[in-house]
Amino acid sequence: LGTLSVARERPVALHLAVTFASLAAAFCVITYVAPMVSLVAGLSGAGVGLMQACSGVGAMAGVALGGRASDGPAPGRAAKTAFGVLLVTHAAQAALMLTAPDIASQAASGAPPHPIRAAAMGATLFASTGSMFFITPILQRRLAALAPRSQAVAIALNGSMVFFGQAAGGAIGGAAIALAGLPWIAAAGFVITLAALGLFAAADRAASRAGVP
């Protein structure tokens, strides 16, 4: 039976850290979907639900595509590409929020939501959750290969990192709002994604040295 000591093995620890950081980066933004889409496009109620659905569909697509990539010849390169997509989506989300019109005054005057800006935000939410969950199967497959005698424990620890990452992302996003305002949650996510990419580069090298693609 595997024990928690497997988490002290450097290749395993690095991959767990990547899971934590990538979830934290995404949930800096996803946690605050409602105020974000209200700011950007004037959406509320069912409109917010639609934006959340974009995230959910993106997650399912990401898992499906990431599962295929994990069995492919270059999963590490595929994961790095996904991190690049996540960086682009955070930049786009920051731009949409920083350039948002005065939605509050428009709503008070009876103006309708902004459909183009809503579509753009929905696309970024789809892409950000899709890229995040694209990476997850690659990490889990590698953890199983890196800890063959403790696979169940390694996968369970990775699940724990998912929850820790979600909580940390929400907390960091909240801190960003308190310190600088809502638009800066995407900037925080961008910085954490860069850190996650750096961790993945180290994890990728560790996996290669261990003979794991």
Side-chain angles (χ1 to χ4, degrees):
L1 294 177
T3 66
L4 293 178
S5 62
V6 70
R8 294 200 297 267
E9 297 175 13
R10 188 171 185 273
V12 172
L14 283 170
H15 282 80
L16 293 175
V18 172
T19 295
F20 171 83
S22 60
L23 267 292
F27 275 83
C28 274
V29 173
I30 295 172
T31 305
Y32 302 96
V33 165
M36 182 172 66
V37 300
S38 177
L39 171 68
V40 169
L43 296 179
S44 61
V48 174
L50 180 60
M51 293 297 103
Q52 292 173 326
C54 289
S55 291
V57 174
M60 289 190 292
V63 168
L65 294 173
R68 291 186 180 185
S70 69
D71 295 325
R77 188 183 313 133
K80 289 175 183 175
T81 300
F83 276 116
V85 172
L86 191 53
L87 286 170
V88 170
T89 59
H90 282 314
Q93 288 163 349
L96 283 167
M97 285 188 279
L98 288 169
T99 61
D102 187 353
I103 297 292
S105 64
Q106 291 185 26
S109 65
H114 291 245
I116 295 176
R117 294 178 67 84
M121 183 56 74
T124 67
L125 290 169
F126 176 91
S128 64
T129 53
S131 57
M132 178 185 64
F133 281 97
F134 178 95
I135 297 163
T136 301
I138 296 172
L139 295 173
Q140 295 210 142
R141 183 181 183 277
R142 280 189 169 179
L143 283 167
L146 290 167
R149 297 182 181 179
S150 306
Q151 288 182 349
V153 173
I155 297 302
L157 286 170
N158 197 57
S160 297
M161 291 301 104
V162 168
F163 290 110
F164 278 127
Q166 290 175 348
I172 294 168
I177 292 170
L179 292 172
L182 184 63
W184 296 96
I185 58 176
F190 187 94
V191 171
I192 300 172
T193 301
L194 284 176
L197 180 56
L199 285 168
F200 183 79
D204 202 33
R205 290 191 295 271
S208 294
R209 287 194 291 270
V212 174

